[in-house]
């Protein structure tokens, strides 16, 4: 405008004094336009124009300029420039577009943030679950490893303690043997010295007496000689009569035992041991050193062992197994004697192994096994000897029963004191590591089968050998109750219990009051605290066995 002064470096405003929307000129004229705009609100077209004082020296030109200026101001305030209106609308539209996009962008960002937060929390939860599972797995693995270490350490300590106690017992037995031998030697020396001293004293006294009575003896020598001869003759006659009487009594007792089919416990033990030594020392080496016999023996032994494992309680199965075994051991033509004896030994071993495993686990399996053995004892000559020898080997003195002598019974090593390990083997222990529980279970299985065989013999038409006939049941009780060394062992209570379980009722019906007296004696012994340890000893196993034995005794007495 004509009244505005502008710098040549800026673009002048439009003809109405308005700013350009897209120019830097707006910034430089913000204050000027603001002032003009503000002043424009002070002028209103309805107001009367002020009168010019004629006293003022104002020219017409100045008044005209002032009027034009006022008219331009009024026009500026009421005129709407199209460009400026377009620019304003564009700015408002741009602002709304920017705000709308900002709102959309904000919503998308919030959605992305929510998704990211959810994914982050899911990842954190997954990682936490994975880490928790890994920790639990690691803890379980550590716990399993700890249990394995504890079990291994416990087994090691148990084995070490057992070996330690076995060594201690072995050393104690060796020392006891040495002490006993030393004591016996010293006792023999003492007795020999006492005998020599007594003889010397007797000779000295006799000499003195002879010197003192020399004169009297000279006078009575004839009478004393005659009297001495008469006394000597009488003593000799009495000694002869006593020897004859003792021989007659022993012969009568032996004849009575032979009539009744009875033997002493030591005789039964020595018979079984002698047959066992013959099997191991003569029969088996002869078979193993001969290729032809060894092949036949191995094949038949495997077949026999398999058949023994197939025994059931069906009579047809029992008859079939017995027929198969008899045909295998006694074919036509028959085997040589040495091979026949080896096969009998293998059969006896297979039967006892079956009793150790199956009968100890389930006593009811003893009945069909005893039925098969009873038929085999009748069909196979000398089988009772092999079976008895194997029972002596695997059950020790419990088969007789007898406390095994602690000396060797071999012909080439007779009367030699056995070592602790040798004596343990003679008593029926299979290995040095066999525990008392395992030994008791194995012996109980064998004896359950044996007592079942004794009971089965009563139902057969043919008599069995004395050691396998039911009258031996009474002999077994008598021998065991008369052997304190055997009766104090914890196995004794278990053996007596299984004997009463198998044959107690039949023995009670057969021997009645005599058998009941024996059972009442057992009952009184167990119920008396002072004598309870005589059966089964004082160990925990012995006390448990006595409890079962007492219940079985009461059951038989109540029938």
């Amino acid at each position: 405008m004509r009244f505005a002064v502008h710098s040549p470096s800026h673009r002048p405003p439009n003809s109405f004094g308005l700013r350009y929307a897209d120019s830097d000129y707006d910034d430089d004229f913000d204050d000027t336009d603001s002032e003009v705009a503000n002043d424009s609100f002070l002028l209103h077209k309805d107001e009367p124009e002020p009168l010019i004082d004629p006293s003022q020296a104002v020219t017409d030109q100045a008044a005209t300029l002032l009027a034009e200026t006022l008219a331009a101001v009024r026009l500026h305030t009421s005129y709407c420039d199209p460009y400026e209106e377009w620019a304003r609308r564009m700015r408002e539209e741009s602002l709304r577009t920017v705000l709308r996009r900002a709102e959309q962008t904000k919503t998308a960002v919030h959605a992305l943030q929510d998704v990211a937060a959810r994914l982050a929390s899911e990842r954190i939860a997954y990682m936490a679950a994975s880490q928790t599972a890994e920790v639990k797995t690691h803890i379980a693995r550590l716990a399993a490893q700890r249990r394995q270490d504890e079990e291994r350490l416990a087994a090691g300590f148990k084995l070490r303690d057992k070996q330690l106690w076995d060594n201690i017992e072995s050393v104690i037995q060796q020392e006891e043997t040495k002490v006993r031998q030393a004591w016996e030697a010293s006792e023999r020396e003492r007795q020999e010295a006492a005998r020599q001293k007594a003889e010397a004293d007797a000779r000295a006294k006799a000499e003195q007496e002879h010197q003192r009575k020399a004169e009297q003896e000279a006078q009575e020598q004839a009478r004393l000689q005659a009297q001495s001869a008469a006394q000597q003759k009488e003593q000799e006659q009495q000694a002869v009569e006593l020897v004859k009487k003792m021989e007659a009594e022993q012969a009568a007792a032996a004849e009575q035992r032979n009539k009744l089919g009875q033997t002493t416990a030591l005789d039964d033990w020595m018979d079984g041991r002698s047959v066992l030594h013959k099997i191991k020392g003569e029969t088996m080496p002869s078979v193993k050193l001969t290729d032809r016999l060894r092949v036949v023996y191995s094949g038949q032994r495997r077949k026999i062992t398999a058949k023994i494992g197939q025994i059931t309680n069906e009579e047809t199965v029992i008859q079939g197994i017995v027929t198969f075994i008899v045909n295998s051991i006694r074919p036509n033509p028959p085997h040589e004697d040495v091979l026949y004896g080896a096969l009998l030994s293998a059969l006896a071993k297979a039967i006892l192994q079956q009793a150790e495993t199956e009968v100890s686990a389930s006593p009811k399996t003893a009945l069909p096994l005893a039925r098969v053995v009873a038929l085999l004892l009748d069909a196979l000559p000398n089988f009772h000897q092999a079976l008895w020898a194997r029972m002596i080997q695997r059950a020790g003195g419990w088969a007789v029963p007898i406390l095994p002598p602690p000396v060797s019974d071999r012909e080439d090593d007779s009367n030699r004191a056995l070592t602790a390990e040798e004596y343990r083997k003679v008593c029926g222990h299979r290995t040095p590591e066999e525990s008392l529980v395992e030994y008791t279970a194995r012996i109980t299985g064998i004896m359950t089968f044996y007592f079942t065989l004794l009971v089965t013999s009563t139902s057969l038409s043919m008599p069995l050998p004395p050691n396998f006939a039911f009258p031996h049941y009474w002999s077994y009780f008598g021998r065991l109750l008369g052997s304190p060394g055997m009766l104090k062992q914890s196995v004794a209570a278990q053996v007596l219990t299984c004997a009463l379980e198998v044959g107690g009722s039949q023995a009670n019906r057969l021997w009645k009051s005599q058998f009941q007296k024996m059972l009442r004696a057992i009952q009184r012994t167990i119920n008396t605290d002072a004598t309870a340890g005589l059966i089964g000893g004082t160990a925990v196993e012995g006390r448990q066995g006595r409890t079962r034995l007492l219940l079985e005794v009461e059951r038989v007495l109540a029938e």
Side-chain angles (χ1 to χ4, degrees):
M1 298 177 65
R2 290 174 300 189
F3 54 85
V5 182
H6 304 287
S7 174
S9 61
H10 293 85
R11 189 176 67 175
N14 55 31
S15 59
F16 299 102
L18 299 176
R19 293 178 298 173
Y20 289 94
D22 56 344
S23 175
D24 295 335
Y25 181 79
D26 297 336
D27 297 332
D28 297 333
F29 288 89
D30 283 343
D31 296 336
T32 304
D33 295 339
S34 300
E35 292 176 358
V36 175
N38 293 333
D39 292 341
S40 65
F41 290 101
L42 299 176
L43 301 176
H44 302 279
K45 62 182 180 178
D46 296 333
E47 293 179 359
E49 295 181 358
L51 298 178
I52 300 173
D53 189 0
S55 64
Q56 294 179 356
V58 180
T59 63
D60 294 336
Q61 185 179 1
T64 302
L65 178 62
L66 178 60
E68 292 177 355
T69 301
L70 292 175
V73 168
R74 289 188 186 98
L75 181 63
H76 174 72
T77 57
S78 61
Y79 178 76
C80 180
D81 189 357
Y83 176 79
E84 289 180 355
E85 182 67 20
W86 174 83
R88 184 183 62 78
R89 287 196 304 269
M90 290 302 293
R91 285 194 301 272
E92 291 177 356
E93 184 68 24
S94 298
L95 180 60
R96 284 193 298 271
T97 302
V98 169
L99 292 176
R100 184 171 60 254
R101 290 180 179 176
E103 184 66 24
Q104 293 175 354
T105 304
K106 182 179 179 181
T107 302
V109 169
H110 286 173
L112 291 174
Q113 289 176 349
D114 293 341
V115 172
R118 186 175 68 256
L119 292 176
S121 42
E122 290 178 356
R123 184 174 64 256
I124 292 172
Y126 174 75
M127 292 176 63
S130 300
Q131 292 175 356
T132 302
E134 291 177 359
V135 169
K136 290 182 179 179
T137 304
H138 185 65
I139 291 174
R141 184 167 59 254
L142 291 178
Q145 184 178 0
R146 178 178 60 79
R147 288 194 299 271
Q148 292 176 357
D149 294 340
E150 290 178 353
E151 292 175 357
R152 184 172 62 255
L153 289 175
F157 279 119
K158 183 178 180 181
L159 179 60
R160 188 187 67 178
D161 292 343
K162 186 179 184 305
Q163 292 175 350
L164 178 61
W165 283 110
D166 289 343
N167 293 335
I168 292 173
E169 291 180 358
S170 176
V171 171
I172 290 174
Q173 292 179 356
Q174 292 177 1
E175 293 299 325
E176 288 179 350
T177 302
K178 292 180 181 179
V179 170
R180 184 175 67 253
Q181 292 176 352
W183 179 82
E184 291 176 354
S186 63
E187 185 67 15
R188 286 195 298 270
E189 292 177 357
R190 187 188 63 79
Q191 292 177 358
E192 183 65 19
R195 186 182 64 79
Q196 293 178 358
K197 184 176 181 303
E199 290 179 354
D201 294 342
R203 285 195 299 270
K205 185 176 181 180
E207 290 178 358
Q208 292 176 1
E209 187 69 18
H210 179 71
Q211 292 175 359
R212 187 177 65 83
K213 295 182 178 180
E215 296 178 357
Q216 295 178 0
E217 289 180 354
Q219 297 174 0
E220 298 181 357
Q221 184 176 5
R223 185 179 60 83
L224 291 176
Q225 289 179 351
Q227 185 178 359
S228 176
Q231 291 178 353
Q232 184 177 2
K233 184 176 181 181
E234 185 179 358
Q235 290 177 355
E236 290 177 354
Q237 185 176 1
Q238 291 178 355
V240 170
E241 292 178 355
L242 181 60
V243 169
K244 290 181 178 180
K245 182 179 180 181
M246 292 178 61
E247 290 178 350
E249 291 177 353
Q250 293 178 357
E255 183 179 359
Q256 185 177 5
R257 285 199 302 271
N258 291 333
K259 290 181 179 179
L260 298 176
Q262 296 180 348
T263 56
T264 63
L266 184 60
D267 291 339
D268 292 342
W269 171 262
M270 295 306 297
D271 290 343
R273 294 291 296 179
S274 62
V275 174
L276 181 63
H277 290 320
K278 183 178 179 181
I279 292 173
K280 288 189 171 184
E282 299 178 9
T283 304
M284 296 309 300
S286 299
V287 172
K288 292 180 179 180
L289 293 176
T290 306
D291 294 339
R292 177 178 55 81
L293 297 180
R294 185 176 65 252
V295 171
V296 176
Y297 169 76
S298 299
Q300 297 298 332
R301 179 176 59 84
R302 285 192 295 269
K303 294 178 182 179
I304 291 172
T305 304
K307 282 296 181 181
I308 292 298
Q310 299 172 3
I311 295 176
T312 62
N313 203 17
E314 297 180 4
E315 186 64 24
T316 56
V317 176
I318 292 175
Q319 293 294 336
I321 291 175
V322 171
T323 302
F324 177 83
I325 294 175
V326 171
N327 292 335
S328 299
I329 297 178
R330 296 187 66 190
N332 190 14
H335 293 305
E336 299 180 15
D337 292 343
V338 64
L339 179 58
Y340 177 75
L343 291 175
L344 291 180
S345 176
L347 174 60
K349 182 178 180 180
I351 290 171
L352 295 178
Q353 287 177 342
Q354 183 77 2
E356 290 175 350
T357 56
E358 296 296 332
V359 178
S360 60
S362 178
K364 65 181 180 180
T365 58
L367 183 59
L369 182 62
R371 175 69 176 167
V372 170
V373 174
L375 296 176
L376 291 175
L377 287 172
D378 180 62
L380 297 175
N382 299 328
F383 176 54
H384 67 282
Q385 297 179 356
L387 181 60
W388 183 249
R390 286 296 184 178
M391 283 188 61
I392 293 292
Q393 178 192 14
R394 304 188 74 88
W398 296 105
V400 176
I402 187 176
L403 191 64
V407 294
S408 175
D409 50 16
R410 294 179 178 272
E411 294 182 358
D412 56 349
D413 193 21
S414 180
N415 296 327
R416 177 183 63 84
L418 298 175
T419 63
E421 185 61 31
E422 290 174 340
Y423 188 70
R424 182 180 173 87
K425 188 174 182 180
V426 168
C427 290
H429 291 272
R430 305 308 306 155
T431 60
E433 294 78 15
E434 186 178 36
S435 64
L436 179 60
V437 176
E438 296 172 343
Y439 175 73
T440 302
R442 196 167 50 79
I443 297 300
T444 303
I446 293 176
M447 297 314 300
T448 300
F449 153 73
Y450 179 63
F451 294 131
T452 306
L453 179 59
L454 296 183
V455 174
T456 304
S457 65
T458 59
S459 62
L460 301 177
S461 59
M462 68 292 187
L464 293 182
N467 287 344
F468 301 99
F470 190 73
H472 195 70
Y473 187 90
W474 177 271
S475 301
Y476 192 94
F477 269 84
R479 291 174 181 179
L480 184 55
L481 295 177
S483 178
M486 295 286 286
L487 199 59
K488 286 184 179 180
Q489 299 183 29
S490 60
V491 183
Q494 302 289 346
V495 171
L496 289 174
T497 301
C498 70
L500 291 177
E501 289 176 350
V502 174
S505 299
Q506 187 165 351
N508 190 25
R509 290 193 300 269
L510 181 63
W511 292 301
K512 298 180 181 179
S513 60
Q514 295 298 323
F515 190 70
Q516 293 173 5
K517 287 180 182 179
M518 182 170 58
L519 294 183
R520 290 192 179 93
I522 296 174
Q523 187 180 34
R524 287 194 302 270
T525 302
I526 296 176
N527 289 329
T528 305
D529 295 337
T531 59
L534 296 177
I535 300 177
T538 58
V540 177
E541 294 81 1
R543 294 197 297 270
Q544 295 175 350
R546 281 197 300 273
T547 302
R548 290 184 57 199
L549 176 59
L550 182 60
L551 294 175
E552 197 61 30
V553 168
E554 292 174 352
R555 180 190 68 81
V556 176
L557 290 176
E559 292 180 351

